[in-house]
Amino acid sequence: MKKLVLSTLLVLQAVFVFAQQNPALKGSVVDSKTQKPLQNVVATIQSTNQSVVTDFEGNFSFKTLPSGKPVLFISSTGYKTQTFALEPTEGETLDLGIIVLEEDITTELQLSLVTITENDLGDDNTGSESTSGLLQASRDTYQQAAAFNWGQARFRIRGLDNQYGNTMINGISMNKIYDGRPQWSNWGGLNDATRNQEFTMGSTPSDYTFGSILGTQEINTRASFYRPGNRLTMSGTNTNYSWRAMATHASGLDKNGWAFVVSASRRWAQEGYFDGTDYSANSLFASVEKKFNDKHSLNFTSIYAQNSRGKSSPNTQEVTDIMGVKYNSYWGWQDGQKRNSRDKDIAEPINMLSHYWKITEKTTLNTNVAYQTGTIGNTRIDFQNANNPDPTYYRNLPSYFLNQPQLWNDPVTDANGNPVLDGNGNQVYQNQDAINALSYFKANPQINWNAMYIANQNSSNGGRSVYALYEDRTDDSQWSANSIINSSLSDNISLNGGVNFKRLKSHNHQNLLDLMGGEYFSDIDPFYTGNNAQSDLNNPNRQVREGDTYGYNYNLFATILDGFTQFKFNYNKFDFYLAQSFSRTEYQREGLYRNGIYADNSYGKGNKVTYENFGFKGGLTYKINGRHLLDFNGLYMTKAPIMRNVFSNARLNNNITPNLTNEDIIAADASYIIRTPNLKARLTGFYNKISNSSEISFFYAESIGDVSGDEDSFVSEIVTGLDKQSIGAELGLEYQLTSTIKATASASYGQYIYSDNAKLVTNDDGRAANGLNPLKDFGTVYIKDYRQPGVPQQAYSFGLEYRDPHYWWIGANVNHLSDSYIDVSSILRTDNFVIDPNTGGYSFPGATEPNVRNILKQEKFDGFTLVNVVGGKSWRISSKNRNTFGFFASINNIFDVTYKTGGFEQSRKATYPDLVADQANGIPSFGSKYFYGYGRTFFVNCYINF
């Protein structure tokens, strides 16, 4: 009997052990300095859908492993990724023991140095500030170079505007409906609170959205996902701000299921890198989570980020040659202080409630509701029947006089009063008015605030201000909601899907801020008379005061509903995915003023405009082996026009942009990827085509109207049917030369062009005021094969980094960028430029094809090389509490290279003879305007974790 009982127990033990199925792989992850376990670290088996996160004690395990020699990645935000080449033995558990993760200070550096740039030249309300922000959390070597090293030169991945990427917080898209771009300032300064991020490149699959062709960035603010602890940070720099202070506390998940995170920061500067650019920003963050049980958790997130900054002006070469690249015409002295006339002020708090539901072990549902409201304001000086206060106004500059031949009438004499002769013995003449203008501009290069106050207090005005400071203000209120499902249908198939809803009310108006010593301002347009001068015929001849709305006043409404499904298939040699999407977009304008020029088409609600769109994408990964992969992705989708382009002149009327259609987008890329413990590399070829896009801009132009005496018209230029093509290659390479030295190399080579001609229509208020159709068709824009502007089409980087075992490191990189082009004027590339309307269709004299090609040749900016150096060190300052202290510092553009980051042609001289005359003396009055990058800059950051 004893033998029978013993035998039975042994059999049962064997059965129990067999049923228990020991894991195939396990390990524990700790912090290198504190030796504390790290929770929510991601462990991933390369080229499979197997991914787990560490528990409270830092442990992880995999039940099975693929055949061969798989590669394991251990990664967590703020730490260097660890790579392990595995050699498992069948039937045995591979125990990696304790895995030590070292803090990656370069990630913090990257998060801190995303710069603010003026990358939308014609639209103050765009809210678009940084093209590199989308990449700040990425780990790929190429993406890091694009964000940190090339971002300072306004590099854009694959030449794409950031409206073709998607930035999300907890699955809610943060891209603005107005222009399709994320407003980075809405969470600026909250680096510690927005560290938990996932990034996908191009059209590759995301668990949260169908996406587009630039990629997706998901920011997760779930309180239980933050590592417990406290962090204090102090930084100094000479870029867009001077000082930054941050503090963050994360509680971790307690035994009652509560977790909370709070963070605050302040950034400020009396003056940034460019003259007169003040900066003030305050940011607050709070996230609270209640975990009810293993299936349900509720999280509330609140973000408030207020930002105010002074802008810098784009300048012509003439102005830069006189005043230098740091010169900014937007500011002037007032009471001993620098006052900028072009401030941008943002305060749009976000509140978000998220529900996490673990339906089964294989299916989760995440539902989010968000409400965002607040204001964006861009200030300017308004003036009526008074001189333009801009010191760079064209009539104030020497070029205005130099380009008038009749003023070259003052003979040049030597010190003895004798006439100066040229090489042919002819008397040399000078332009004394130009000389006087140069002297006056040098002596008075800034806005004269005191002169405007004096003009407003002139008794002859009867208390009426002739100068006033106002803001173009947008007050948005937006509700967003979505549900995202993730389900593992089988060992090889997973499903992602989501439904999203957005509803926006956007109030746009002109808000009077400062009467500058006067008592009131007149709500009229002084360029017109009678009813045409009235901003609102329902309340004519108003006297407006500080805080009043005037000029224009309207609402925009948008309703968007979209959904997607995505299936991912994972097998030993092949992975592939298929995704599809559908969206419905509805726009409408409501005029709150009855404008005098558009009396019958400005007040009340206009027609609704609806766009329906769809998308398909798919991709395939072929695993040559565990370390070498081939990856292919393809996408076709249509995209609704952004709201900004739907209304041709939204400030004044309800007109819908003519010939406006959905964009068609095609994208494809192919990559060869290597991932070994010492070498990580990716070589990608890509092709993107965006058809039927549109652009709207506003400017004064001469000789484009056909109203009698109309030589100077303020128009909105509507370009439709734009086709943009991007083709090129990307390379990112990282090699661990030794245990302490790492080399990186990145390259981007592209050709970003307009692949076909477009169409151009103008909306001219002057025509409408004279009873004509405000829309004038200029026909074809001959823009085919011109380069897309404002982005280096070639970029190269090489770097070395030394990381000492005693927690200090230093690195340097060299970057070369070239093939960046100016933004060309469309109106100059229509038949209007060369055809003389007074000759029945013949060209202007001298407007031959060679001459026209020469004068309209697109300007190419000079290439440049930037050298950056960065380093830092960290210490464990308490063995008992395991507190840490660290710092890092960087110097960018160490040789103080001057370079142009962008620019645009002015459209004022819209005909061939006018443009030739303006350029005759080599210093045009309406030459191109340029933006410049930072020279030598530094960043120093100190922090303590406890």
Side-chain angles (χ1 to χ4, degrees):
M1 179 62 68
K2 290 183 179 179
K3 289 183 179 180
L4 178 59
V5 171
L6 183 59
S7 299
T8 302
L9 290 174
L10 290 173
V11 170
L12 289 174
Q13 184 181 16
V15 171
F16 178 77
V17 171
F18 178 79
Q20 187 172 315
Q21 288 187 331
N22 289 331
L25 174 69
K26 67 178 183 179
S28 300
V29 183
V30 301
D31 182 279
S32 62
K33 290 191 293 293
T34 67
Q35 298 299 306
K36 289 182 178 179
L38 293 177
Q39 181 189 359
N40 292 322
V41 175
V42 180
T44 303
I45 303 296
Q46 178 176 295
S47 307
T48 73
N49 63 349
Q50 296 187 60
S51 183
V52 298
V53 295
T54 56
D55 59 19
F56 287 100
E57 297 178 349
N59 298 321
F60 70 91
S61 64
F62 289 90
K63 294 181 180 179
T64 61
L65 289 176
S67 59
K69 297 181 179 180
V71 176
L72 173 71
F73 291 104
I74 306 293
S75 61
S76 181
T77 302
Y79 289 89
K80 290 186 62 181
T81 298
Q82 290 273 38
T83 305
F84 297 91
L86 306 178
E87 296 185 4
T89 301
E90 187 175 354
E92 295 183 9
T93 297
L94 180 58
D95 188 353
L96 298 180
I98 296 177
I99 299 170
V100 177
L101 286 191
E102 183 179 345
E103 186 178 11
D104 187 1
I105 306 178
T106 58
T107 302
E108 169 68 20
L109 179 68
Q110 215 170 291
L111 286 163
S112 301
L113 290 188
V114 173
T115 58
I116 290 180
T117 57
E118 294 285 342
N119 67 339
D120 260 346
L121 309 180
D123 177 28
D124 282 338
N125 283 333
T126 174
S128 173
E129 293 179 342
S130 173
T131 58
S132 60
L134 178 67
L135 309 172
Q136 58 184 293
S138 61
R139 297 287 185 149
D140 180 280
T141 302
Y142 170 84
Q143 295 159 6
Q144 286 189 359
F148 179 57
N149 298 324
W150 304 338
Q152 58 191 313
R154 290 168 64 180
F155 177 82
R156 300 197 304 266
I157 283 186
R158 301 180 186 180
L160 295 170
D161 187 281
N162 53 16
Q163 67 171 289
Y164 297 101
N166 201 349
T167 299
M168 295 169 288
I169 298 180
N170 298 337
I172 295 283
S173 175
M174 293 291 107
N175 293 53
K176 289 286 189 179
I177 294 176
Y178 179 73
D179 67 355
R181 301 180 175 112
Q183 174 61 265
W184 306 111
S185 293
N186 285 163
W187 54 90
L190 297 170
N191 300 37
D192 294 333
T194 57
R195 284 177 176 273
N196 297 325
Q197 302 186 11
E198 296 179 40
F199 181 83
T200 62
M201 181 71 173
S203 61
T204 55
S206 166
D207 291 345
Y208 308 94
T209 180
F210 179 83
S212 187
I213 56 175
L214 180 58
T216 62
Q217 179 186 23
E218 157 68 7
I219 301 171
N220 191 321
T221 64
R222 188 173 178 178
S224 63
F225 277 27
Y226 291 79
R227 287 189 297 273
N230 306 286
R231 183 180 178 93
L232 299 176
T233 304
M234 188 69 188
S235 310
T237 182
N238 66 334
T239 52
N240 47 314
Y241 59 85
S242 298
W243 301 101
R244 182 190 68 175
M246 292 195 304
T248 303
H249 169 73
S251 68
L253 194 66
D254 66 19
K255 62 181 180 180
N256 296 316
W258 286 97
F260 66 89
V261 181
V262 291
S263 185
S265 80
R266 172 162 173 75
R267 294 164 291 161
W268 70 97
Q270 289 188 338
E271 183 173 62
Y273 181 83
F274 293 101
D275 296 341
T277 53
D278 56 300
Y279 194 97
S280 176
N282 301 288
S283 303
L284 298 170
F285 172 93
S287 181
V288 180
E289 180 180 356
K290 170 59 176 176
K291 185 176 181 182
F292 297 97
N293 49 50
D294 289 340
K295 290 184 177 293
H296 294 278
S297 184
L298 202 61
N299 193 94
F300 176 75
T301 298
S302 184
I303 300 173
Y304 174 78
Q306 171 272 330
N307 184 291
S308 177
R309 61 181 177 87
K311 299 180 181 180
S312 59
S313 61
N315 299 313
T316 62
Q317 192 63 51
E318 174 190 16
V319 171
T320 300
D321 289 343
I322 297 171
M323 299 300 301
V325 297
K326 286 189 176 183
Y327 171 70
N328 178 14
S329 66
Y330 291 161
W331 68 272
W333 292 101
Q334 183 179 358
D335 298 330
Q337 301 290 326
K338 289 184 177 181
R339 183 181 182 184
N340 197 311
S341 65
R342 298 282 190 96
D343 277 336
K344 182 169 187 176
D345 301 294
I346 301 173
E348 296 183 300
I350 304 168
N351 292 290
M352 187 177 299
L353 185 66
S354 302
H355 175 243
Y356 301 91
W357 181 14
K358 187 176 181 181
I359 301 173
T360 69
E361 287 297 322
K362 295 185 176 182
T363 303
T364 61
L365 182 69
N366 174 210
T367 301
N368 306 278
V369 178
Y371 178 67
Q372 183 175 14
T373 187
T375 65
I376 298 178
N378 291 274
T379 67
R380 299 175 70 104
I381 295 173
D382 199 354
F383 55 97
Q384 297 177 349
N385 301 315
N387 292 328
N388 192 324
D390 183 358
T392 61
Y393 180 56
Y394 75 100
R395 289 178 179 267
N396 298 335
L397 296 175
S399 58
Y400 173 70
F401 303 97
L402 291 173
N403 292 319
Q404 300 186 54
Q406 70 274 17
L407 297 180
W408 289 84
N409 52 18
D410 294 306
V412 179
T413 58
D414 60 21
N416 299 317
N418 298 317
V420 174
L421 306 179
D422 62 17
N424 297 320
N426 299 316
Q427 171 71 60
V428 176
Y429 291 89
Q430 65 184 2
N431 190 322
Q432 190 60 46
D433 288 333
I435 295 173
N436 294 340
L438 176 61
S439 298
Y440 185 83
F441 179 62
K442 285 183 175 180
N444 303 275
Q446 305 303 147
I447 288 175
N448 192 333
W449 290 98
N450 291 334
M452 289 188 286
Y453 274 78
I454 292 171
N456 286 345
Q457 294 167 354
N458 190 324
S459 59
S460 63
N461 293 332
R464 179 176 66 89
S465 290
V466 294
Y467 294 100
L469 186 73
Y470 75 95
E471 65 176 344
D472 291 311
R473 179 162 161 170
T474 300
D475 299 332
D476 280 355
S477 296
Q478 179 174 308
W479 283 97
S480 303
N482 72 357
S483 279
I484 303 170
I485 190 168
N486 292 276
S487 181
S488 179
L489 303 180
S490 70
D491 291 341
N492 305 106
I493 305 173
S494 60
L495 164 69
N496 309 115
V499 177
N500 304 276
F501 172 81
K502 287 185 179 182
R503 173 65 176 171
L504 169 70
K505 178 184 178 182
S506 178
H507 181 207
N508 299 265
H509 58 113
Q510 200 166 308
N511 181 40
L512 187 60
L513 296 176
D514 189 352
L515 287 167
M516 295 193 287
E519 297 178 10
Y520 70 91
F521 198 69
S522 295
D523 186 16
I524 61 169
D525 188 336
F527 291 99
Y528 298 100
T529 59
N531 284 345
N532 289 336
Q534 297 298 324
S535 298
D536 184 12
L537 290 173
N538 295 334
N539 296 281
N541 299 313
R542 285 196 314 145
Q543 295 181 0
V544 292
R545 290 169 173 79
E546 292 174 4
D548 287 347
T549 294
Y550 77 108
Y552 65 87
N553 190 13
Y554 64 94
N555 289 323
L556 293 177
F557 299 96
T559 303
I560 299 175
L561 179 66
D562 68 81
F564 82 100
T565 57
Q566 177 175 267
F567 294 89
K568 293 187 286 188
F569 304 83
N570 299 92
Y571 298 97
N572 286 336
K573 296 296 288 186
F574 290 94
D575 296 340
F576 64 94
Y577 69 92
L578 298 169
Q580 43 281 316
S581 70
F582 176 81
S583 66
R584 188 179 190 275
T585 303
E586 183 180 274
Y587 299 131
Q588 186 179 32
R589 179 190 184 272
E590 178 188 28
L592 303 178
Y593 282 176
R594 185 166 171 247
N595 182 266
I597 298 175
Y598 302 97
D600 299 326
N601 189 32
S602 55
Y603 185 69
K605 290 186 176 181
N607 295 328
K608 291 183 179 180
V609 187
T610 302
Y611 301 93
E612 292 186 346
N613 292 273
F614 61 90
F616 300 97
K617 70 177 183 179
L620 170 70
T621 300
Y622 173 65
K623 309 162 195 175
I624 301 172
N625 54 43
R627 303 182 181 187
H628 298 263
L629 303 92
L630 296 176
D631 185 67
F632 306 91
N633 298 281
L635 173 146
Y636 174 76
M637 65 180 293
T638 61
K639 179 176 178 290
I642 57 175
M643 188 163 61
R644 177 181 185 269
N645 291 343
V646 169
F647 304 99
S648 58
N649 191 0
R651 291 186 175 185
L652 301 185
N653 61 51
N654 286 329
N655 288 340
I656 304 299
T657 300
N659 305 317
L660 193 64
T661 62
N662 291 320
E663 291 184 353
D664 290 310
I665 301 174
I666 299 173
D669 63 63
S671 300
Y672 173 52
I673 301 168
I674 302 174
R675 290 175 178 171
T676 70
N678 289 329
L679 174 65
K680 299 179 181 66
R682 175 174 63 87
L683 175 64
T684 299
F686 63 86
Y687 171 84
N688 295 315
K689 178 72 174 293
I690 303 170
S691 303
N692 300 320
S693 64
S694 57
E695 292 179 358
I696 293 184
S697 55
F698 300 84
F699 55 84
Y700 281 99
E702 298 177 8
S703 303
I704 69 166
D706 52 10
V707 179
S708 177
D710 180 18
E711 287 294 323
D712 195 351
S713 301
F714 184 77
V715 302
S716 58
E717 178 190 80
I718 307 158
V719 180
T720 57
L722 275 173
D723 291 353
K724 304 175 184 179
Q725 176 181 291
S726 302
I727 186 170
E730 303 164 344
L731 172 67
L733 188 150
E734 173 186 314
Y735 188 71
Q736 198 72 40
L737 296 171
T738 69
S739 60
T740 57
I741 300 175
K742 180 176 69 176
T744 59
S746 300
S748 179
Y749 184 90
Q751 183 190 66
Y752 314 142
I753 64 171
Y754 295 106
S755 58
D756 206 346
N757 294 323
K759 299 293 183 182
L760 188 148
V761 174
T762 60
N763 187 107
D764 188 341
D765 298 337
R767 289 171 56 88
N770 285 274
L772 301 176
N773 184 350
L775 298 177
K776 182 177 179 181
D777 189 353
F778 282 82
T780 301
V781 183
Y782 300 101
I783 202 171
K784 183 179 180 180
D785 294 332
Y786 276 84
R787 299 295 182 105
Q788 295 180 48
V791 53
Q793 303 196 15
Q794 291 190 52
Y796 307 94
S797 179
F798 176 76
L800 287 174
E801 177 187 302
Y802 174 78
R803 188 175 291 265
D804 192 87
H806 298 94
Y807 306 116
W808 66 268
W809 59 278
I810 187 169
N813 56 76
V814 180
N815 308 275
H816 181 76
L817 300 104
S818 61
D819 280 10
S820 187
Y821 291 81
I822 201 164
D823 191 357
V824 298
S825 165
S826 294
I827 195 74
L828 267 60
R829 287 157 179 85
T830 64
D831 289 335
N832 179 83
F833 182 73
V834 295
I835 301 299
D836 187 345
N838 299 315
T839 63
Y842 290 95
S843 299
F844 289 107
T848 63
E849 182 174 343
N851 289 344
V852 171
R853 286 185 178 275
N854 182 62
I855 202 169
L856 295 182
K857 183 179 180 181
Q858 187 176 18
E859 181 182 353
K860 179 181 178 181
F861 300 148
D862 292 336
F864 51 92
T865 300
L866 305 176
V867 179
N868 306 324
V869 176
V870 62
K873 180 170 174 54
S874 59
W875 296 265
R876 190 173 74 177
I877 57 178
S878 171
S879 58
K880 180 179 179 180
N881 297 318
R882 297 172 179 174
N883 301 334
T884 61
F885 170 78
F887 84 94
F888 63 78
S890 70
I891 302 177
N892 276 12
N893 191 3
I894 196 169
F895 295 110
D896 200 21
V897 174
T898 298
Y899 59 96
K900 295 173 181 175
T901 61
F904 58 98
E905 295 177 349
Q906 295 197 69
S907 299
R908 182 87 172 223
K909 299 297 182 179
T911 65
Y912 176 79
D914 286 349
L915 188 60
V916 168
D918 191 49
Q919 297 183 358
N921 286 294
I923 308 177
S925 298
F926 298 99
S928 299
K929 290 193 172 185
Y930 305 102
F931 288 101
Y932 290 85
Y934 293 136
R936 184 185 301 112
T937 60
F938 69 87
F939 189 94
V940 178
N941 187 79
C942 298
Y943 66 92
I944 182 170
N945 294 323
F946 59 98

